Amino acid sequence: MRIRIVYFRSGCGRERRERGEARRPRSASEARPMPPPACRSSRFGAFCRLLPLFAAFYRMIDIADLRFSYSGRAPYLLDGLTLTVKRGAYVSIAGENGCGKTTLMRLILGFLKPVSGTIRVSARRIGYVPQTTDFAARAFPITVDEMLSSWGSLIGLGKNARRAAHEALSLTGMLERRDRLAGDLSGGERERVLIARALMGDTDLLILDEPSTGLDPRGQRDVYALLDRLRR
């Protein structure tokens, strides 16, 4: 089974790349090409040497030759996976059940450790929306405002927790529903509240696991339209 990475780019459709199979490691000359002689000998040589550092800054996620299995040995669930996600990119990980999509997210989040290979994440703060088939707060009498304000306190926002909650709800179009019980929300509304929670605390990388699970077609369109708007 393969993992398929789909890169979405506004105005130019989408570019698909197949990942997840064993891949020939790059040689040192391929991975780090030397600048041309003119660049090395000119007064701009120092700038040329800094170019790789600037390129690394724009990489939000950089995965190289990743191998992982829950047993710690072959056969690997993820075998030779290499992936780069730039800042501002909108990426979807697609594939059959059991091919390693959630496992890859947990590796990126640091919940799991690879058998070999490297994972570098340059985000200041990661917002994570886990896969849910039932809302945990459905039977608990808590409002949307109370839920997000409590979360803000947990992540150290202190007195700014309520303001941060309202800003996140405004971004996701849920501010007017802040006084509703969380359990009374529709599926699409619950997903937008969870996205708002993940955005709190100056998040610059958002990872969602199956965000459209359990949503009707309209709810799916609303969630993906929201994600595209947040990316811009």
Side-chain angles (χ1 to χ4, degrees):
M1 293 184 287
R2 287 174 177 262
I3 284 181
R4 188 171 72 251
I5 310 298
V6 184
Y7 296 83
F8 292 86
R9 299 178 180 178
S10 58
C12 60
R14 65 185 183 180
E15 170 190 347
R16 302 188 178 198
R17 299 180 182 178
E18 297 291 338
R19 302 288 187 182
E21 296 296 316
R23 178 177 176 177
R24 178 182 61 82
R26 292 182 176 181
S27 66
S29 61
E30 290 175 327
R32 296 177 178 267
M34 291 293 291
C39 182
R40 294 200 302 269
S41 60
S42 71
R43 60 181 178 178
F44 299 109
F47 174 75
C48 292
R49 288 192 293 272
L50 287 174
L51 285 177
L53 298 180
F54 288 121
F57 174 78
Y58 285 104
R59 295 173 183 167
M60 184 65 76
I61 302 173
D62 203 353
I63 301 174
D65 202 22
L66 174 67
R67 286 180 173 82
F68 177 82
S69 69
Y70 286 96
S71 66
R73 57 183 182 273
Y76 298 109
L77 179 60
L78 301 173
D79 192 357
L81 187 145
T82 295
L83 169 67
T84 297
V85 178
K86 297 180 180 179
R87 292 181 183 272
Y90 177 15
V91 179
S92 176
I93 302 174
E96 300 175 6
N97 291 337
C99 70
K101 302 186 298 296
T102 297
T103 297
L104 175 58
M105 292 183 187
R106 290 174 178 170
L107 284 160
I108 293 172
L109 291 165
F111 297 157
L112 299 172
K113 299 296 182 183
V115 175
S116 64
T118 59
I119 302 175
R120 295 186 177 90
V121 180
S122 301
R124 296 186 303 274
R125 179 176 177 80
I126 301 175
Y128 177 52
V129 180
Q131 179 179 353
T132 56
T133 55
D134 189 20
F135 199 44
R138 180 182 293 276
F140 191 80
I142 187 172
T143 67
V144 170
D145 194 7
E146 291 168 341
M147 185 178 74
L148 266 67
S149 296
S150 299
W151 175 254
S153 298
L154 286 174
I155 61 176
L157 298 182
K159 296 179 179 180
N160 296 321
R162 191 179 183 87
R163 179 173 60 83
H166 289 181
E167 289 177 353
L169 288 170
S170 180
L171 281 173
T172 58
M174 291 296 294
L175 185 59
E176 294 182 356
R177 292 171 173 78
R178 63 185 180 275
D179 294 325
R180 292 186 60 181
L181 290 175
D184 292 341
L185 300 175
S186 68
E189 290 172 338
R190 292 197 300 269
E191 192 67 26
R192 282 163 31 182
V193 166
L194 292 175
I195 293 173
R197 186 182 67 176
L199 290 173
M200 293 176 65
D202 197 23
T203 296
D204 56 347
L205 174 60
L206 190 60
I207 297 178
L208 302 94
D209 191 358
E210 301 283 359
S212 60
T213 297
L215 301 185
D216 59 25
R218 179 178 178 179
Q220 294 178 13
R221 289 193 299 269
D222 289 346
V223 167
Y224 285 117
L226 168 63
L227 295 176
D228 189 51
R229 180 166 57 81
L230 291 173
R231 179 181 64 88
R232 300 169 190 270

